[in-house]
Amino acid sequence: MFSRLGRFVVKQPWLVIGVWLIAIVAIAATAPKLTATTEQADFLPSHYESIQAMETQQKAFPNSATPAALIVFERADGAPLTTADAATVQAAAAKLTERNIKDVTAIAAMPASDNKLVDVVAVQMTKVTSPNDKRQTDAVKDLRTALQETVAGSDLKAGITGQAAQTLDQQDSGNKALAIIGIATIVLILVLLLVIFRSPVIALLPIIVIGAISMAVNGLIAMVSKAFDLKVDNSVQSLLVVVLFGVGTDYILFLMFRYRERLRAGEDPKTAMVSAVTRVGEAISSAAAAVIIAFGALMLSTLGMFRSLGPALAIAVAVALLAGLTLVPAIVSLLGTKVFWPSKAWQQEPTGARFAAVGGSLGKRPGLYALVSGGLLVALGLVALGFNPTFDLSSSSTSDTSESTVYSKELLKGMPAGTTQPSQVYLSSDGAALTSDQLSTYRTALTGISGVGQVSEPKLSENKSIAEYQVTLNDAPESDAALATVQGPLRDVAHSAAPQGTKAVVGGMTSIFVDFKAAMNRDYAVVFPVAAVLIMLVLGLLLRSLVAPWYLIASVFLGFAATLGAAVLVFQHLQGNSGLIFTLPLIMYLFVVALGTDYNILMVARLREEAREGHDPHKAAAEAVKHTGPTIAAAGLILAGTFASMMLAGNNALSQMGFAISVGIGIAAFVMAMFFTPSVTALIGRKAWWPGHGGDADPQAEWNEQQWARSEPDSARR
């Protein structure tokens, strides 16, 4: 199959390139716009309590909403606010109201804190439901400018925090991060490919090809999302860039290393490209299938934000694979050996290659390599048992110097930490009006809960059958302590203290996080095992073996555990953070498990190929490391370096993601695929391929290459 594909592409390169160009233009021109959503109701199933509370609020209190922003006032000298200062705050609120700032619907001063250290003005804004809607963030910008003009010349200083302000600061931090990642990706690909191949042509090839196909990928994702009504999270776009450049560059590297190898073996350029597609096609197709399965398994998630990632990233990988097997070979077949210009190093095998020495050492002592590499994976994996997820995305997604972060901390001087995002408790009767005694008694029960700072007077619906209580927690709404309060005593008391004939639900951001945590635990128990079984089936079909898939998938999940352990060690134990961002295991699953399988498949496919050449298991391992090691090292270095650049973005969330993924890819490439897999395969020997015949010679590929060489005149092959 791959031999026929290679021959067709090499014979008809212009046709292949033309079809690709037409497809890209057609898809980009006809695809709908790819839009994202941030509505939590789109991501959590309706049976969760937080979503039921949201539905109650929308039905009974459609105009009730948590303030979009909070203006925090305090004295510049840190002293308590005076009566004159309180009057200044009231005047400032009035002046800001008079400004009629666009999309600011209400500005209301609140009483000063009991210790008089801070005063707060609540700001309501036009509601937005899409990350592309910039009305609130634009309003925060205008409000910040007007605020500084208002307090100028007074003894007060002020800043804006709250959800809208945090979103603005997160966007600014995110844009900076994306710029850093984009530049780092391109620079790393260019520099490393220049070092490896010493050719600007090969260095530019992934940039040009992936840049072109990305338009088709975005269009296809938009089409699929519209056709199946998938809710796309706003993180998809940034992940797509990394997946496309990461996986796409990997596949191009796999092909070009094999192409150069066949040229060095004496084949002419066209025959070498056919051989490269023939020999590497099955390996990268199987690797892509494993990655697509890993991403596709996310469709089993109960969370819409994760479920939408599956098809989107699977489409990106499928298009990258198709381009790697058709578009890239077509371009290279036209260029021939000019693709290596101006270098001549492709003409001969380097002497004293480092990977040949490493492979030889591994082949002689596979037990030692298996023990050391496996021991490292297990040791780091044990540290992962201390993983604690945290939902503190507001502070960790921006720099410590951002205004929303600074004044969120200043707010704590006088107000409960939950002031920025209070929880809501909705008490509903079966249709009858709630009595004042019921409302008062119920509020008293809520007030007595440990971890609750304040409970507002109840707000009643029009028919007085539903009451809304604003519950301010003592702890920050995304903190572990706040989640424990909502999950435990707040929900317990809210349910048990509800008068007969009524029921209660707890809503708000903290309640949503509690339900997210429960849903994620369920998803991890379903998605990971299903993905493992399906990936094992791919490995079994590729290797025609019932033995190898078991230790290969075990090594991949050992790599996953080791990566999580490394992140726990650095951020929880060494830096003292309370936990790691709650999405980190999923993100690691997307990149470490999927790409770790990618590298494993490339290595084990070469191990089988060397075994079928007649080498004994130890020699086969040595040859596999010698020939495939440079490819895996180059691909791993590019990807790890790209993700490591996220650590320069200046916020803790991206630092954790960048560190974990870069370390995970490094473990997958330089520990798991380079040492653990070949050493274990060498120890198991020919039984690794049972019941297949991995050690038998495979004459088919050689016969296909001979037939191609005979059918082509010398002039066509040059």
Side-chain angles (χ1 to χ4, degrees), residues 582-598:
F582 72 99
T583 55
L584 192 61
L586 173 78
I587 295 167
M588 286 168 43
Y589 164 80
L590 290 175
F591 295 103
V592 177
V593 173
L595 294 177
T597 304
D598 220 22

Side-chain angles (χ1 to χ4, degrees), residues 64-66 422-426 454-457 468-472:
S64 175
T66 301
S423 296
Q424 292 84 39
V425 176
Y426 295 95
Q454 299 173 355
V455 179
S456 70
E457 292 292 337
E468 178 190 68
Y469 295 87
Q470 295 286 339
V471 179
T472 303

Side-chain angles (χ1 to χ4, degrees), residues 169-170 172-174 176-177 393-400 571 581 646-658:
D169 292 339
Q170 288 168 13
D172 291 342
S173 179
K176 174 187 174 184
L393 299 183
S394 58
S395 62
S396 63
S397 297
T398 60
S399 68
D400 293 337
F571 290 99
I581 56 172
M646 296 170 68
M647 299 172 66
L648 303 174
N651 68 68
N652 198 38
L654 287 176
S655 293
Q656 290 181 17
M657 289 171 56

Side-chain angles (χ1 to χ4, degrees), residues 18-103:
V19 169
W20 267 101
L21 291 175
I22 292 171
I24 290 171
V25 172
I27 292 172
T30 59
K33 184 179 180 182
L34 181 63
T35 57
T37 179
T38 56
E39 275 294 319
Q40 299 296 343
D42 290 335
F43 298 141
L44 271 171
S46 59
H47 67 268
Y48 282 101
E49 183 171 342
S50 60
I51 302 304
Q52 293 174 1
M54 187 181 297
E55 292 170 351
T56 300
Q57 182 264 321
Q58 292 171 350
K59 178 180 70 174
F61 307 97
N63 298 320
S64 175
T66 301
L70 297 175
I71 305 175
V72 181
F73 291 85
E74 60 182 333
R75 285 189 60 88
D77 58 9
L81 295 165
T82 64
T83 302
D85 293 330
T88 302
V89 171
Q90 294 286 341
K95 290 179 182 178
L96 291 174
T97 301
E98 293 171 1
R99 290 286 189 109
N100 291 320
I101 296 173
K102 187 178 179 182
D103 293 309

